[in-house]
Amino acid sequence: MKKCTLVTSFLLIGFSLFAQKFTLFNNPLKWDENRYSDIKGSPFFFKDFVEGTIHGIGGEVYDKVKLNLNGYTHNIEVRRRDEYIELQEGAYDMVEVTLAGKNGDTTKTVFVTTQIGQFDGRFVQLIYDGEKRKVFNDFLVTISEYKTETPGKTLHVKRFAPKARYFLLEDGELSIFKLKKKNIVQYLGHKKEIETFLKKNKIKIDSAEGVAKVLEFAEGLE
Protein backbone atom coordinates (compact mmCIF):
# COMPACT_ATOMS: atom_id res chain seq x y z
CA MET A 1 0.00 0.00 0.00
CA LYS A 2 2.83 2.36 0.85
CA LYS A 3 4.50 1.66 -2.50
CA CYS A 4 1.30 2.52 -4.36
CA THR A 5 0.95 5.74 -2.40
CA LEU A 6 4.58 6.69 -3.14
CA VAL A 7 4.24 5.99 -6.86
CA THR A 8 0.99 7.94 -6.99
CA SER A 9 2.67 10.90 -5.29
CA PHE A 10 5.48 10.96 -7.85
CA LEU A 11 2.98 10.75 -10.68
CA LEU A 12 0.99 13.66 -9.26
CA ILE A 13 4.15 15.76 -8.85
CA GLY A 14 5.23 15.00 -12.41
CA PHE A 15 1.77 15.80 -13.76
CA SER A 16 1.72 19.05 -11.78
CA LEU A 17 5.06 20.16 -13.25
CA PHE A 18 3.91 19.21 -16.75
CA ALA A 19 0.65 21.12 -16.28
CA GLN A 20 2.52 24.21 -15.09
CA LYS A 21 4.76 24.30 -18.15
CA PHE A 22 1.85 23.49 -20.44
CA THR A 23 -0.21 26.33 -18.96
CA LEU A 24 2.71 28.72 -19.18
CA PHE A 25 3.25 27.90 -22.85
CA ASN A 26 -0.15 28.85 -24.21
CA ASN A 27 0.01 29.92 -27.86
CA PRO A 28 3.83 29.72 -28.25
CA LEU A 29 5.66 31.36 -31.13
CA LYS A 30 8.25 29.69 -33.35
CA TRP A 31 11.80 30.57 -32.31
CA ASP A 32 13.69 32.23 -35.15
CA GLU A 33 17.49 32.25 -34.81
CA ASN A 34 17.67 34.93 -37.54
CA ARG A 35 15.11 37.29 -36.01
CA TYR A 36 17.72 40.00 -35.49
CA SER A 37 20.31 38.90 -38.06
CA ASP A 38 20.35 42.34 -39.71
CA ILE A 39 21.15 44.11 -36.43
CA LYS A 40 24.50 43.96 -34.63
CA GLY A 41 24.65 43.26 -30.91
CA SER A 42 21.91 41.85 -28.71
CA PRO A 43 18.69 43.24 -27.21
CA PHE A 44 18.76 40.81 -24.28
CA PHE A 45 19.63 41.47 -20.63
CA PHE A 46 21.60 38.25 -20.20
CA LYS A 47 24.17 37.05 -22.74
CA ASP A 48 22.33 33.73 -23.04
CA PHE A 49 18.96 32.44 -21.92
CA VAL A 50 19.20 31.42 -18.27
CA GLU A 51 17.17 29.30 -15.87
CA GLY A 52 14.82 31.27 -13.69
CA THR A 53 11.72 31.06 -11.52
CA ILE A 54 8.47 32.76 -12.52
CA HIS A 55 5.87 33.77 -9.94
CA GLY A 56 2.24 34.20 -10.98
CA ILE A 57 -0.09 36.69 -9.32
CA GLY A 58 -2.21 33.78 -8.10
CA GLY A 59 0.70 32.11 -6.31
CA GLU A 60 1.76 29.83 -9.19
CA VAL A 61 5.47 29.07 -9.35
CA TYR A 62 7.31 27.88 -12.48
CA ASP A 63 10.83 26.63 -11.72
CA LYS A 64 13.86 26.09 -13.96
CA VAL A 65 12.39 27.92 -16.94
CA LYS A 66 14.70 29.24 -19.67
CA LEU A 67 14.17 32.99 -19.98
CA ASN A 68 15.65 36.37 -20.83
CA LEU A 69 14.54 40.00 -20.82
CA ASN A 70 14.29 41.54 -24.29
CA GLY A 71 14.90 45.25 -23.79
CA TYR A 72 13.86 46.06 -27.35
CA THR A 73 10.38 44.52 -27.16
CA HIS A 74 10.16 45.25 -23.39
CA ASN A 75 9.11 41.65 -22.74
CA ILE A 76 10.49 38.70 -20.83
CA GLU A 77 10.78 35.83 -23.26
CA VAL A 78 10.45 32.23 -22.09
CA ARG A 79 11.98 29.61 -24.36
CA ARG A 80 11.35 25.89 -24.72
CA ARG A 81 13.35 24.15 -27.45
CA ASP A 82 12.24 25.77 -30.75
CA GLU A 83 9.31 27.69 -29.20
CA TYR A 84 8.98 30.77 -27.04
CA ILE A 85 6.37 33.00 -25.45
CA GLU A 86 6.36 36.59 -24.29
CA LEU A 87 5.40 36.62 -20.62
CA GLN A 88 2.18 38.53 -20.02
CA GLU A 89 2.92 41.10 -17.32
CA GLY A 90 -0.61 41.14 -15.93
CA ALA A 91 -0.51 37.46 -14.99
CA TYR A 92 2.98 37.36 -13.43
CA ASP A 93 4.53 39.70 -10.91
CA MET A 94 8.08 38.46 -10.29
CA VAL A 95 10.89 36.61 -12.04
CA GLU A 96 14.03 35.46 -10.18
CA VAL A 97 17.35 34.36 -11.66
CA THR A 98 20.27 33.07 -9.57
CA LEU A 99 23.61 32.68 -11.34
CA ALA A 100 26.82 31.16 -10.01
CA GLY A 101 30.00 33.24 -10.25
CA LYS A 102 33.56 32.17 -10.95
CA ASN A 103 34.50 32.21 -7.25
CA GLY A 104 31.57 30.07 -6.14
CA ASP A 105 29.46 33.07 -5.14
CA THR A 106 25.98 33.64 -6.54
CA THR A 107 24.22 36.67 -7.99
CA LYS A 108 20.47 37.04 -7.77
CA THR A 109 18.59 39.15 -10.31
CA VAL A 110 14.94 40.00 -9.71
CA PHE A 111 12.45 41.45 -12.18
CA VAL A 112 9.09 42.74 -10.96
CA THR A 113 5.97 44.48 -12.21
CA THR A 114 4.76 47.48 -10.22
CA GLN A 115 1.94 50.00 -10.13
CA ILE A 116 4.40 52.78 -10.94
CA GLY A 117 3.12 54.60 -14.03
CA GLN A 118 6.63 55.39 -15.27
CA PHE A 119 7.22 51.71 -16.05
CA ASP A 120 3.93 51.19 -17.87
CA GLY A 121 3.30 47.81 -16.22
CA ARG A 122 6.35 46.11 -17.77
CA PHE A 123 8.99 44.07 -15.95
CA VAL A 124 11.84 46.11 -14.45
CA GLN A 125 14.85 44.95 -12.45
CA LEU A 126 14.50 45.44 -8.70
CA ILE A 127 17.99 46.44 -7.55
CA TYR A 128 17.21 47.19 -3.93
CA ASP A 129 14.10 46.58 -1.85
CA GLY A 130 14.48 48.37 1.48
CA GLU A 131 12.06 49.61 4.11
CA LYS A 132 12.65 53.28 3.25
CA ARG A 133 13.54 53.18 -0.43
CA LYS A 134 13.68 51.01 -3.53
CA VAL A 135 15.89 51.19 -6.61
CA PHE A 136 14.85 49.94 -10.05
CA ASN A 137 16.66 49.46 -13.35
CA ASP A 138 14.42 50.06 -16.36
CA PHE A 139 16.46 48.20 -18.99
CA LEU A 140 15.58 49.41 -22.47
CA VAL A 141 17.21 48.85 -25.85
CA THR A 142 16.95 51.05 -28.93
CA ILE A 143 18.48 50.72 -32.39
CA SER A 144 21.19 53.10 -33.54
CA GLU A 145 21.89 53.46 -37.25
CA TYR A 146 24.99 54.75 -38.97
CA LYS A 147 26.74 54.66 -42.33
CA THR A 148 30.13 53.20 -43.09
CA GLU A 149 32.02 53.58 -46.34
CA THR A 150 33.53 50.56 -48.08
CA PRO A 151 35.21 50.39 -51.49
CA GLY A 152 32.51 51.06 -54.04
CA LYS A 153 29.50 51.38 -51.70
CA THR A 154 27.98 52.80 -48.54
CA LEU A 155 26.72 50.39 -45.91
CA HIS A 156 23.86 51.20 -43.55
CA VAL A 157 24.54 49.52 -40.22
CA LYS A 158 22.05 48.90 -37.42
CA ARG A 159 23.15 48.14 -33.89
CA PHE A 160 21.30 47.49 -30.64
CA ALA A 161 21.99 50.21 -28.07
CA PRO A 162 21.21 48.91 -24.53
CA LYS A 163 20.71 51.40 -21.74
CA ALA A 164 20.23 50.90 -18.01
CA ARG A 165 18.10 53.63 -16.44
CA TYR A 166 18.07 53.65 -12.65
CA PHE A 167 15.25 55.07 -10.56
CA LEU A 168 14.88 55.65 -6.82
CA LEU A 169 11.50 55.32 -5.11
CA GLU A 170 11.25 57.06 -1.75
CA ASP A 171 8.19 58.45 0.05
CA GLY A 172 6.09 57.62 -3.01
CA GLU A 173 8.26 59.78 -5.27
CA LEU A 174 10.19 58.31 -8.22
CA SER A 175 13.35 60.04 -9.40
CA ILE A 176 16.33 59.27 -11.65
CA PHE A 177 19.18 57.72 -9.68
CA LYS A 178 22.75 57.89 -10.99
CA LEU A 179 25.13 55.12 -9.97
CA LYS A 180 28.02 57.44 -9.16
CA LYS A 181 29.87 57.54 -5.86
CA LYS A 182 29.70 61.33 -5.45
CA ASN A 183 25.98 61.40 -6.22
CA ILE A 184 25.09 58.51 -3.90
CA VAL A 185 27.23 59.64 -0.97
CA GLN A 186 25.83 63.16 -1.25
CA TYR A 187 22.27 61.83 -1.33
CA LEU A 188 22.65 59.39 1.60
CA GLY A 189 24.87 61.46 3.85
CA HIS A 190 27.11 59.65 6.36
CA LYS A 191 30.01 60.37 4.00
CA LYS A 192 32.79 59.15 6.29
CA GLU A 193 31.03 55.93 7.30
CA ILE A 194 30.03 55.03 3.74
CA GLU A 195 33.47 55.70 2.28
CA THR A 196 35.04 53.53 5.00
CA PHE A 197 32.49 50.80 4.28
CA LEU A 198 33.22 50.92 0.54
CA LYS A 199 36.97 50.76 1.04
CA LYS A 200 36.90 48.02 3.66
CA ASN A 201 34.61 45.77 1.58
CA LYS A 202 36.09 46.68 -1.82
CA ILE A 203 32.69 47.57 -3.21
CA LYS A 204 32.20 49.13 -6.64
CA ILE A 205 29.38 51.58 -6.17
CA ASP A 206 28.71 51.89 -9.91
CA SER A 207 27.31 48.34 -10.05
CA ALA A 208 23.83 47.15 -9.14
CA GLU A 209 25.21 44.81 -6.47
CA GLY A 210 27.39 47.57 -5.01
CA VAL A 211 24.53 50.07 -4.77
CA ALA A 212 22.31 47.50 -3.05
CA LYS A 213 24.99 46.87 -0.40
CA VAL A 214 25.55 50.58 0.20
CA LEU A 215 21.84 51.34 0.53
CA GLU A 216 21.41 48.47 2.98
CA PHE A 217 24.35 49.75 5.01
CA ALA A 218 23.00 53.31 4.96
CA GLU A 219 19.56 52.24 6.19
CA GLY A 220 21.29 50.64 9.17
CA LEU A 221 22.74 54.06 10.06
CA GLU A 222 19.43 55.91 9.89
Side-chain angles (χ1 to χ4, degrees), residues 63-81:
D63 284 318
K64 295 183 178 180
V65 181
K66 288 284 187 178
L67 56 85
N68 211 333
L69 172 63
N70 187 326
Y72 181 59
T73 63
H74 308 162
N75 290 309
I76 285 183
E77 296 182 6
V78 181
R79 187 175 176 183
R80 182 181 63 181
R81 295 185 292 278

Side-chain angles (χ1 to χ4, degrees), residues 116-119 134 136 167-170 172-176:
I116 300 173
Q118 172 75 30
F119 303 141
K134 302 178 188 296
F136 301 93
F167 292 87
L168 172 74
L169 179 67
E170 185 173 17
E173 296 291 328
L174 190 71
S175 58
I176 294 176

Side-chain angles (χ1 to χ4, degrees), residues 10-45:
F10 278 120
L11 288 174
L12 288 173
I13 292 171
F15 178 79
S16 175
L17 292 173
F18 174 80
Q20 283 186 349
K21 291 187 177 181
F22 180 80
T23 303
L24 186 67
F25 266 82
N26 282 332
N27 303 314
L29 302 171
K30 189 72 174 179
W31 180 262
D32 182 6
E33 294 287 354
N34 300 312
R35 181 168 34 150
Y36 298 122
S37 61
D38 61 330
I39 309 173
K40 294 182 178 296
S42 170
F44 292 104
F45 185 90

Side-chain angles (χ1 to χ4, degrees), residues 131-194:
E131 294 183 5
K132 297 182 179 180
R133 53 184 73 94
K134 302 178 188 296
V135 175
F136 301 93
N137 170 21
D138 188 15
F139 175 75
L140 296 178
V141 178
T142 57
I143 294 178
S144 63
E145 299 186 42
Y146 60 93
K147 298 178 181 178
T148 181
E149 302 294 335
T150 61
K153 62 179 179 180
T154 300
L155 295 178
H156 294 267
V157 181
K158 294 181 180 180
R159 179 180 292 277
F160 284 117
K163 185 177 182 180
R165 303 187 306 165
Y166 298 96
F167 292 87
L168 172 74
L169 179 67
E170 185 173 17
D171 297 327
E173 296 291 328
L174 190 71
S175 58
I176 294 176
F177 194 63
K178 296 181 180 180
L179 269 61
K180 294 183 178 180
K181 180 179 177 180
K182 181 179 179 181
N183 173 67
I184 294 174
V185 171
Q186 182 179 359
Y187 166 75
L188 293 173
H190 307 287
K191 184 175 184 293
K192 183 178 179 180
E193 292 91 335
I194 289 177

Side-chain angles (χ1 to χ4, degrees), residues 86-106:
E86 294 179 336
L87 208 59
Q88 297 300 312
E89 290 91 346
Y92 309 95
D93 55 7
M94 184 168 66
V95 173
E96 298 175 296
V97 174
T98 301
L99 299 176
K102 295 181 180 179
N103 301 321
D105 55 338
T106 58

